[in-house]
PDB file of all heavy atoms in Angstrom:
ATOM      1  N   GLN W  54       3.571  -1.944   9.941  1.00  0.00           N
ATOM      2  CA  GLN W  54       4.730  -1.093   9.630  1.00  0.00           C
ATOM      3  C   GLN W  54       5.055  -0.124  10.763  1.00  0.00           C
ATOM      4  O   GLN W  54       6.132   0.468  10.767  1.00  0.00           O
ATOM      5  CB  GLN W  54       4.482  -0.301   8.348  1.00  0.00           C
ATOM      6  CG  GLN W  54       4.428  -1.171   7.099  1.00  0.00           C
ATOM      7  CD  GLN W  54       4.273  -0.306   5.866  1.00  0.00           C
ATOM      8  OE1 GLN W  54       3.164   0.073   5.506  1.00  0.00           O
ATOM      9  NE2 GLN W  54       5.388   0.021   5.235  1.00  0.00           N
ATOM     10  N   GLY W 109       7.719   0.711  -4.156  1.00  0.00           N
ATOM     11  CA  GLY W 109       8.641   0.932  -3.051  1.00  0.00           C
ATOM     12  C   GLY W 109       7.856   0.761  -1.772  1.00  0.00           C
ATOM     13  O   GLY W 109       6.644   0.551  -1.797  1.00  0.00           O
ATOM     14  N   CYS W 110       8.548   0.840  -0.627  1.00  0.00           N
ATOM     15  CA  CYS W 110       7.879   0.592   0.650  1.00  0.00           C
ATOM     16  C   CYS W 110       8.685   1.268   1.753  1.00  0.00           C
ATOM     17  O   CYS W 110       9.910   1.151   1.767  1.00  0.00           O
ATOM     18  CB  CYS W 110       7.804  -0.916   0.885  1.00  0.00           C
ATOM     19  SG  CYS W 110       7.011  -1.376   2.419  1.00  0.00           S
ATOM     20  N   PHE W 111       7.993   1.927   2.686  1.00  0.00           N
ATOM     21  CA  PHE W 111       8.682   2.557   3.819  1.00  0.00           C
ATOM     22  C   PHE W 111       9.507   1.532   4.598  1.00  0.00           C
ATOM     23  O   PHE W 111      10.510   1.882   5.219  1.00  0.00           O
ATOM     24  CB  PHE W 111       7.671   3.166   4.809  1.00  0.00           C
ATOM     25  CG  PHE W 111       6.925   4.341   4.265  1.00  0.00           C
ATOM     26  CD1 PHE W 111       5.562   4.487   4.536  1.00  0.00           C
ATOM     27  CD2 PHE W 111       7.548   5.316   3.517  1.00  0.00           C
ATOM     28  CE1 PHE W 111       4.863   5.564   4.070  1.00  0.00           C
ATOM     29  CE2 PHE W 111       6.843   6.411   3.046  1.00  0.00           C
ATOM     30  CZ  PHE W 111       5.494   6.527   3.320  1.00  0.00           C
ATOM     31  N   SER W 112       9.061   0.277   4.583  1.00  0.00           N
ATOM     32  CA  SER W 112       9.750  -0.761   5.356  1.00  0.00           C
ATOM     33  C   SER W 112      10.916  -1.385   4.596  1.00  0.00           C
ATOM     34  O   SER W 112      11.641  -2.215   5.150  1.00  0.00           O
ATOM     35  CB  SER W 112       8.752  -1.855   5.764  1.00  0.00           C
ATOM     36  OG  SER W 112       7.767  -1.294   6.612  1.00  0.00           O
ATOM     37  N   HIS W 152      -0.689  -4.216  -2.103  1.00  0.00           N
ATOM     38  CA  HIS W 152       0.557  -4.006  -1.356  1.00  0.00           C
ATOM     39  C   HIS W 152       0.253  -3.860   0.145  1.00  0.00           C
ATOM     40  O   HIS W 152       0.903  -4.504   0.986  1.00  0.00           O
ATOM     41  CB  HIS W 152       1.261  -2.752  -1.902  1.00  0.00           C
ATOM     42  CG  HIS W 152       2.528  -2.390  -1.196  1.00  0.00           C
ATOM     43  ND1 HIS W 152       3.762  -2.406  -1.816  1.00  0.00           N
ATOM     44  CD2 HIS W 152       2.768  -1.982   0.082  1.00  0.00           C
ATOM     45  CE1 HIS W 152       4.690  -2.041  -0.943  1.00  0.00           C
ATOM     46  NE2 HIS W 152       4.114  -1.773   0.214  1.00  0.00           N
ATOM     47  N   GLU W 153      -0.741  -3.026   0.471  1.00  0.00           N
ATOM     48  CA  GLU W 153      -1.036  -2.762   1.889  1.00  0.00           C
ATOM     49  C   GLU W 153      -1.628  -3.992   2.572  1.00  0.00           C
ATOM     50  O   GLU W 153      -1.275  -4.297   3.715  1.00  0.00           O
ATOM     51  CB  GLU W 153      -1.979  -1.559   2.032  1.00  0.00           C
ATOM     52  CG  GLU W 153      -1.424  -0.248   1.517  1.00  0.00           C
ATOM     53  CD  GLU W 153      -0.032   0.079   2.041  1.00  0.00           C
ATOM     54  OE1 GLU W 153       0.291  -0.300   3.185  1.00  0.00           O
ATOM     55  OE2 GLU W 153       0.728   0.718   1.299  1.00  0.00           O
ATOM     56  N   HIS W 156       0.855  -6.504   3.677  1.00  0.00           N
ATOM     57  CA  HIS W 156       1.514  -6.220   4.960  1.00  0.00           C
ATOM     58  C   HIS W 156       0.774  -6.897   6.123  1.00  0.00           C
ATOM     59  O   HIS W 156       1.389  -7.273   7.123  1.00  0.00           O
ATOM     60  CB  HIS W 156       1.572  -4.710   5.227  1.00  0.00           C
ATOM     61  CG  HIS W 156       2.697  -4.000   4.540  1.00  0.00           C
ATOM     62  ND1 HIS W 156       4.014  -4.316   4.749  1.00  0.00           N
ATOM     63  CD2 HIS W 156       2.699  -2.964   3.658  1.00  0.00           C
ATOM     64  CE1 HIS W 156       4.789  -3.505   4.021  1.00  0.00           C
ATOM     65  NE2 HIS W 156       4.015  -2.684   3.349  1.00  0.00           N
ATOM     66  N   ASP W 192       4.406   2.836  -1.171  1.00  0.00           N
ATOM     67  CA  ASP W 192       4.529   3.500   0.137  1.00  0.00           C
ATOM     68  C   ASP W 192       5.976   3.453   0.595  1.00  0.00           C
ATOM     69  O   ASP W 192       6.845   3.041  -0.173  1.00  0.00           O
ATOM     70  CB  ASP W 192       3.592   2.915   1.191  1.00  0.00           C
ATOM     71  CG  ASP W 192       4.012   1.558   1.738  1.00  0.00           C
ATOM     72  OD1 ASP W 192       5.174   1.144   1.549  1.00  0.00           O
ATOM     73  OD2 ASP W 192       3.162   0.932   2.367  1.00  0.00           O
TER      74      ASP W 192
HETATM   75 NI1   NI K   1       4.777  -1.177   2.106  1.00  0.00          NI
END
Side-chain angles (χ1 to χ4, degrees):
Q54 292 184 276
C110 180
F111 292 140
S112 297
H152 178 116
E153 298 310 328
H156 278 301
D192 75 15

